[in-house]
Amino acid sequence: MGSVKKALDFIVEIEKLKDVHRKTRPVGLKRYENSAEHSWHVCLAALALKEFSNVEIDIQKVIKMLLIHDLGEIDAGDTIIYESETSENKKKEAEGVRRIFDMLPEDQASKYLSLWFEFEDGKSAESIFARAVDRIPPLLHNLHGNGHSWRENNVSKEKVLTLNSRIGEGSSEVWDTLKSQLHEAVEAGILK
Amino acid sequence: MGSVKKALDFIVEIEKLKDVHRKTRPVGLKRYENSAEHSWHVCLAALALKEFSNVEIDIQKVIKMLLIHDLGEIDAGDTIIYESETSENKKKEAEGVRRIFDMLPEDQASKYLSLWFEFEDGKSAESIFARAVDRIPPLLHNLHGNGHSWRENNVSKEKVLTLNSRIGEGSSEVWDTLKSQLHEAVEAGILK
């Protein structure tokens, strides 16, 4: 059993995720999104979309994964998916989550760490779905926000369609709907 | 079964919670916290503190509750706990969550709505724990942030100690630790 004091220190430490900025703006907002509010958003997105998963999933596990999936960014920062993720950056993230989870009792630390690696590996049904959901809000931000992040980061329609096809691995229905919205965005000149 | 399109609309709609501002600043940040990042924070706080719950709880239910507990603020705004919660405000929140959950298929909408009311009622073991956890971050923000929100809102030590005693109903161990940190804050002149 751990101590309350240490758990409170952990709660204060993870708060730093509220200061990690992402590359898209939430719909209707001028500022960039941070990784903490993003983490909340994808949890509810996973709940709203779970019925469309290609295979049966343990949604509780998906949510726990999504709650912790970005904690590595506290030490490593956020990387846009259209820039290739370097192994150096991934190593930094893994060291970061290890440092943070080590603030918790050992049994909890190792459970969270293996859940984090399961998400990163993207092989289990839950991680495939969680990684699919993780990609959705940035698309919605661009679709409802005049493609601002695609423009700012010079992202082509080919890149958007190729790199987000991972969504289809989690849910072909969701990816089909998003693809048709993306094609509409191309026709509207928002995505080039 | 609902439609993907409607689920995506729900995901865009709830994003408005990122623009509901609370009354404390996250540790180390100058800006006020928003209710979306707060909702993420309390989910992880609940996970880190679950072993200290006074009674056995279904932590998955607690997390689901905490993910949705503030959605009513999208229409009603945030209220500091030291101002008495008016029934008018509560009614507005209930109407707000009803409006938002109605974007989901009926069976999901009614499940979320009853979970939201369970949290509000604060009678079940899970809601007692969730409501306790919900109170913790503002205390930590003040304890690690020179009592900024207590000062800005003229909150006395008596009020802080009385109104947060609800934490003890969820976990007496957590409340004991926080109480001693609050007494230290009084001695340091941060809380008056």
Side-chain angles (χ1 to χ4, degrees), chain A residues 12-188:
Chain A
V12 170
E13 178 63 27
I14 60 170
E15 178 142 58
K16 291 177 182 164
L17 198 61
K18 296 175 185 169
D19 202 29
V20 174
H21 302 286
R22 294 168 50 86
K23 305 292 182 291
T24 61
R25 297 168 169 90
V27 177
L29 297 186
K30 291 203 174 124
R31 63 168 179 84
Y32 287 101
E33 189 185 36
N34 71 62
S35 293
E37 61 194 355
H38 159 75
S39 298
W40 164 79
H41 201 198
V42 286
C43 286
L44 276 184
L47 279 169
L49 294 169
K50 70 176 190 291
E51 60 176 321
F52 305 109
S53 171
N54 290 343
V55 296
E56 210 166 303
I57 43 163
D58 173 354
I59 188 68
Q60 321 289 5
K61 192 178 177 183
V62 170
I63 289 175
K64 225 182 260 184
M65 248 178 207
L66 288 170
L67 284 172
I68 62 160
H69 81 291
D70 272 345
L71 285 177
E73 295 180 357
I74 288 176
D75 289 356
D78 175 66
T79 320
I80 191 166
I81 58 149
Y82 303 106
E83 286 165 16
S84 49
E85 289 174 336
T86 61
S87 61
E88 198 191 341
N89 186 276
K90 279 291 141 202
K91 199 176 148 230
K92 213 169 160 187
E93 281 191 12
E95 283 166 6
V97 286
R98 211 178 288 271
R99 176 186 72 74
I100 288 164
F101 291 139
D102 274 349
M103 300 179 74
L104 295 174
E106 210 178 309
D107 58 323
Q108 289 178 44
S110 71
K111 253 184 11 196
Y112 287 124
L113 200 62
S114 74
L115 198 62
W116 187 86
F117 276 111
E118 184 179 330
F119 176 87
E120 285 297 314
D121 287 344
K123 286 188 188 115
S124 68
E126 283 75 17
S127 64
I128 289 168
F129 187 72
R131 288 165 73 89
V133 170
D134 192 32
R135 294 257 161 124
I136 297 172
L139 292 182
L140 296 175
H141 294 165
N142 275 297
L143 286 167
H144 294 265
N146 204 23
H148 62 272
S149 169
W150 294 328
R151 209 172 40 246
E152 286 167 14
N153 297 283
N154 284 318
V155 184
S156 67
K157 62 180 180 228
E158 289 78 17
K159 258 196 170 173
V160 171
L161 287 163
T162 311
L163 281 167
N164 289 294
S165 62
R166 183 160 83 182
I167 295 171
E169 293 167 29
S171 167
S172 25
E173 273 186 85
V174 172
W175 181 228
D176 284 348
T177 303
L178 282 168
K179 253 192 302 189
S180 74
Q181 295 189 3
L182 289 169
H183 286 303
E184 281 167 32
V186 170
E187 275 167 38

Side-chain angles (χ1 to χ4, degrees), chain B residues 81-82 131-132 134-136 138-139 150 155 157-169 175 178-179 182:
Chain B
I81 59 150
Y82 302 106
R131 288 165 73 87
D134 192 32
R135 294 255 162 125
I136 296 173
L139 292 182
W150 294 329
V155 183
K157 63 180 181 227
E158 289 77 17
K159 262 198 167 171
V160 171
L161 287 163
T162 311
L163 281 167
N164 289 295
S165 64
R166 182 161 82 182
I167 294 171
E169 292 166 29
W175 181 228
L178 282 168
K179 254 192 301 189
L182 289 169

Side-chain angles (χ1 to χ4, degrees), chain B residues 31-172:
Chain B
R31 63 169 178 84
Y32 287 102
E33 189 184 35
N34 71 64
S35 292
E37 61 193 355
H38 160 75
S39 297
W40 163 79
H41 201 198
V42 286
C43 286
L44 276 185
L47 278 169
L49 293 169
K50 68 175 192 292
E51 61 177 320
F52 306 109
S53 171
N54 290 342
V55 296
E56 208 165 305
I57 43 163
D58 173 355
I59 187 69
Q60 322 288 4
K61 193 178 177 182
V62 170
I63 288 174
K64 226 183 259 185
M65 250 178 204
L66 288 170
L67 284 173
I68 63 160
H69 81 293
D70 272 345
L71 284 177
E73 295 180 358
I74 287 176
D75 289 355
D78 176 66
T79 321
I80 191 166
I81 59 150
Y82 302 106
E83 285 166 16
S84 49
E85 289 175 336
T86 61
S87 60
E88 197 191 340
N89 185 275
K90 279 290 142 203
K91 202 176 145 231
K92 214 169 161 188
E93 282 191 11
E95 283 165 5
V97 287
R98 212 179 288 271
R99 177 185 71 75
I100 289 164
F101 292 140
D102 274 350
M103 301 179 73
L104 294 173
E106 211 177 309
D107 58 321
Q108 289 178 43
S110 71
K111 255 185 7 197
Y112 286 124
L113 200 64
S114 75
L115 198 63
W116 187 85
F117 277 111
E118 184 178 330
F119 176 87
E120 285 297 314
D121 288 345
K123 284 185 188 117
S124 68
E126 283 76 18
S127 64
I128 289 168
F129 187 72
R131 288 165 73 87
V133 170
D134 192 32
R135 294 255 162 125
I136 296 173
L139 292 182
L140 296 175
H141 294 166
N142 274 296
L143 287 166
H144 294 265
N146 204 23
H148 63 272
S149 169
W150 294 329
R151 208 172 42 244
E152 287 166 14
N153 297 283
N154 283 317
V155 183
S156 67
K157 63 180 181 227
E158 289 77 17
K159 262 198 167 171
V160 171
L161 287 163
T162 311
L163 281 167
N164 289 295
S165 64
R166 182 161 82 182
I167 294 171
E169 292 166 29
S171 167
S172 24

